Amino acid sequence: ECLKQLRSFYQKFEAYKNKFSANECLLFVCSSRPKIIYHTFWHITDKQDQKNYAFKRMMKLNIMSYLYTQNLCCTKLIVWLSFNFGAKTEKQMRSYFQYYIEKGNLELKKFDLLELCQNPNSSFKNHKICNNLVEYLKYYLTSSRKKIFNFVYFSDFVRFFVLDIYSGIYTDGDVIYLKDMSLLWYENFAYKWSYLKEWNTAIMGFDKYQNPSILNLIEFSKKSHFTLKKFIDFYHPLELSIIIKKINKSNDIFNYKHLKAFHSLFFDPVWLYYDGIVASQNRNDIKNFNQFLTKYFIDERTFDFNSVFPYSFTYHLHFRSHIPILNYSYFKYFENFFIRNLKINHIIDNV
């Protein structure tokens, strides 16, 4: 019943927004607070791209879903690129999304830790750990051990670092936006890790300027005497959950005032099916993560963007690049849907 009410409210919200032109929307929605900055982080080498085109397709899908669903008059997406992101792949992405880059809706930006550490808005500015992290990354770039650098774990740190400076909403790269997220932009948030009493930060938002309580968590990480590896590991959601419970002296994640926990159905609707907690109501429901790439018994002519996950703001794919993407899959249908509606099909797969 709660989810039905949420869907009904969102439909009324969309209908209300549609009454306004783009300029009126800008005055109506954006004048009361700064532009919402969305963030994601990607690492694709040119070698990876040649070996498996799926990485680039997932990156495109993530960006296209943002451009289609979010209010572009008062939001912007920054795609943070790893320090050794493939130059060829970056050039292709800039060409593919040139129109939106020139309009200021999208920015592709290298995650330069040295530069960001000097940002006056950074809570890590001039902190010893910031300089040590710079040396840490230089070590991995120049040593034979760089192959084992874990960019997935590093992205857990990246999201806190960029949100601390810019504020906004962060999503993992394998996330599809389904609804306007501005409805959630009123307090610091993450979401529940399936049925576990843990946080997940694949989708999270915070604004230390409007709600500075999140700084308690950042300051705790800075004061702790961690090794460099443990400092990065601190921001993994499971490690973060342990720390928050200790600070809060409670295992109730819904009772932590500095970081609100939303239900996993908001952002990760398949996880409860996958873990066997929720029973499927419809034979066409996606029941595990691979099915989004491989499910083929639904006809694209019956595909309805608004009905696939009607109660969710995003869908987290938990992307498996080794699983082939079938032409009759939800992935392909979403891909085709965004290309048609964003009118960027003139440069589709030849880029």
Side-chain angles (χ1 to χ4, degrees):
E1 185 60 33
C2 177
L3 292 173
K4 289 179 181 178
Q5 290 293 326
L6 174 65
R7 186 183 188 187
S8 174
F9 174 76
Y10 186 80
Q11 288 170 341
K12 292 176 183 177
F13 172 70
E14 284 294 296
Y16 185 70
K17 280 201 314 178
N18 290 338
K19 294 179 182 179
F20 296 85
S21 69
N23 289 333
E24 287 174 322
C25 172
L26 181 63
L27 294 173
F28 168 68
V29 179
C30 304
S31 59
S32 61
R33 65 182 306 167
K35 179 176 286 193
I36 303 174
I37 307 297
Y38 289 76
H39 308 265
T40 192
F41 177 76
W42 270 97
H43 166 71
I44 305 176
T45 65
D46 288 333
K47 185 177 180 180
Q48 280 179 315
D49 189 27
Q50 292 170 2
K51 181 179 179 182
N52 193 338
Y53 182 62
F55 283 112
K56 192 165 67 176
R57 287 180 68 181
M58 183 65 250
M59 183 177 178
K60 286 179 181 177
L61 192 64
N62 170 252
I63 296 172
M64 288 192 296
S65 69
Y66 160 80
L67 294 171
Y68 179 76
T69 59
Q70 302 310 300
N71 189 344
L72 299 184
C73 74
C74 50
T75 66
K76 177 183 180 178
L77 172 63
I78 301 178
V79 179
W80 296 94
L81 308 178
S82 64
F83 40 76
N84 57 344
F85 191 93
K88 178 182 175 183
T89 305
E90 180 180 351
K91 183 179 179 180
Q92 291 171 341
M93 287 294 171
R94 290 187 181 279
S95 175
Y96 193 86
F97 293 107
Q98 180 180 353
Y99 172 76
Y100 294 98
I101 293 173
E102 290 176 352
K103 284 190 66 177
N105 303 131
L106 173 66
E107 181 179 0
L108 305 184
K109 189 177 179 67
K110 283 288 175 70
F111 183 79
D112 185 334
L113 190 58
L114 183 59
E115 177 184 324
L116 291 170
C117 277
Q118 301 309 312
N119 189 298
N121 293 323
S122 175
S123 299
F124 300 92
K125 186 177 185 294
N126 298 325
H127 191 275
K128 62 180 181 180
I129 199 69
C130 196
N131 294 328
N132 288 340
L133 280 169
V134 172
E135 294 302 316
Y136 184 56
L137 296 182
K138 285 181 180 178
Y139 166 74
Y140 270 98
L141 280 171
T142 56
S143 74
S144 60
R145 295 183 63 199
K146 64 182 178 181
K147 291 183 179 179
I148 65 170
F149 189 88
N150 192 324
F151 281 97
V152 175
Y153 270 61
F154 184 62
S155 74
D156 293 325
F157 167 74
V158 168
R159 69 199 66 198
F160 273 88
F161 205 94
V162 298
L163 288 174
D164 171 62
I165 295 174
Y166 295 91
S167 76
I169 296 174
Y170 181 98
T171 73
D172 278 354
D174 60 343
V175 164
I176 299 176
Y177 293 88
L178 300 173
K179 291 181 176 62
D180 188 330
M181 298 273 280
S182 62
L183 279 174
L184 306 177
W185 189 231
Y186 63 94
E187 59 185 321
N188 306 328
F189 71 88
Y191 69 101
K192 193 170 185 281
W193 187 307
S194 185
Y195 65 93
L196 301 176
K197 295 179 180 179
E198 317 287 352
W199 277 267
N200 192 286
T201 58
I203 296 93
M204 72 175 302
F206 70 73
D207 183 351
K208 71 180 183 183
Y209 308 105
Q210 299 281 340
N211 190 346
S213 62
I214 193 68
L215 290 174
N216 293 339
L217 195 57
I218 293 175
E219 290 301 316
F220 183 86
S221 73
K222 287 166 57 181
K223 292 176 182 178
S224 300
H225 299 289
F226 294 139
T227 64
L228 291 172
K229 181 180 183 302
K230 287 186 176 180
F231 182 74
I232 291 178
D233 290 348
F234 172 91
Y235 290 100
H236 185 277
L238 291 180
E239 294 295 324
L240 200 65
S241 297
I242 294 172
I243 299 298
I244 292 176
K245 289 174 185 177
K246 288 181 179 179
I247 296 174
N248 202 37
K249 298 180 180 179
S250 171
N251 288 332
D252 182 6
I253 69 170
F254 295 110
N255 192 36
Y256 185 61
K257 62 182 180 181
H258 304 311
L259 189 64
K260 182 179 180 64
F262 285 119
H263 197 286
S264 60
L265 280 173
F266 273 32
F267 307 116
D268 221 326
V270 173
W271 216 341
L272 293 173
Y273 289 143
Y274 182 77
D275 286 339
I277 304 302
V278 174
S280 174
Q281 303 283 324
N282 189 318
R283 72 179 186 88
N284 286 335
D285 285 343
I286 297 169
K287 303 175 183 65
N288 66 62
F289 301 124
N290 292 345
Q291 286 183 341
F292 192 83
L293 309 178
T294 61
K295 203 166 188 179
Y296 56 85
F297 55 75
I298 179 173
D299 193 304
E300 186 169 9
R301 290 172 295 183
T302 65
F303 172 78
D304 179 5
F305 171 80
N306 295 309
S307 297
V308 180
F309 300 108
Y311 309 114
S312 303
F313 286 87
T314 67
Y315 171 54
H316 188 195
L317 274 71
H318 300 265
F319 188 60
R320 280 110 159 119
S321 62
H322 63 282
I323 304 294
I325 302 170
L326 299 185
N327 285 330
Y328 301 100
S329 65
Y330 282 104
F331 187 104
K332 183 64 176 176
Y333 295 167
F334 270 92
E335 197 173 46
N336 290 343
F337 176 84
F338 292 135
I339 290 168
R340 285 195 306 270
N341 285 277
L342 293 170
K343 296 180 174 59
I344 54 177
N345 56 321
H346 60 292
I347 45 174
I348 176 60
D349 288 339
N350 60 331
V351 175

